[in-house]
Amino acid sequence: MRIINLKTKPQYFELQLQDKKNFEIRHNDRNFKVGDILCLEEYNKDYTGRFIHVEVTCIIEDYCRGGYVTLGTKKRLDLGVQITQ
């Protein structure tokens, strides 16, 4: 298990936080693996200080092009979260 920090736009951060989104579409430049932990850090021209951890539960490559993958995710609040500003 690796912890990978990723910048996340505010609208996508909120959707993950509210359990309305349980996936990430990302360029696979970090060789993502099932079990990796993504530390999604809210970024809006600068880091806001808000973050959430999600675990990669599956990786779908079939429908993505140009080195992109869809990562299935689930929240891991046991690993820490900062959601207040």
Side-chain angles (χ1 to χ4, degrees), residues 21-32:
K21 177 176 166 280
N22 59 354
F23 64 91
E24 291 289 316
I25 298 173
R26 297 288 179 149
H27 189 261
N28 197 11
D29 57 349
R30 294 183 172 98
N31 194 27
F32 297 108

Side-chain angles (χ1 to χ4, degrees), residues 8-57:
T8 305
K9 292 181 179 180
Q11 62 267 33
Y12 303 127
F13 180 87
E14 281 297 324
L15 290 173
Q16 279 276 14
L17 187 62
Q18 297 171 13
D19 289 323
K20 293 181 180 178
K21 177 176 166 280
N22 59 354
F23 64 91
E24 291 289 316
I25 298 173
R26 297 288 179 149
H27 189 261
N28 197 11
D29 57 349
R30 294 183 172 98
N31 194 27
F32 297 108
K33 303 282 186 205
V34 170
D36 284 346
I37 303 297
L38 309 179
C39 180
L40 303 178
E41 299 179 276
E42 187 179 42
Y43 189 86
N44 189 15
K45 298 182 183 178
D46 201 357
Y47 290 101
T48 66
R50 294 176 7 133
F51 67 89
I52 187 170
H53 289 97
V54 298
E55 181 177 346
V56 175
T57 58

Side-chain angles (χ1 to χ4, degrees), residues 4-7 12-13 19 24 33 41 46 61-62 76 78-79 83 85:
I4 302 169
N5 292 42
L6 296 172
K7 291 180 184 175
Y12 303 127
F13 180 87
D19 289 323
E24 291 289 316
K33 303 282 186 205
E41 299 179 276
D46 201 357
E61 301 177 59
D62 299 355
R76 289 289 306 267
D78 59 313
L79 297 174
I83 55 175
Q85 293 186 4

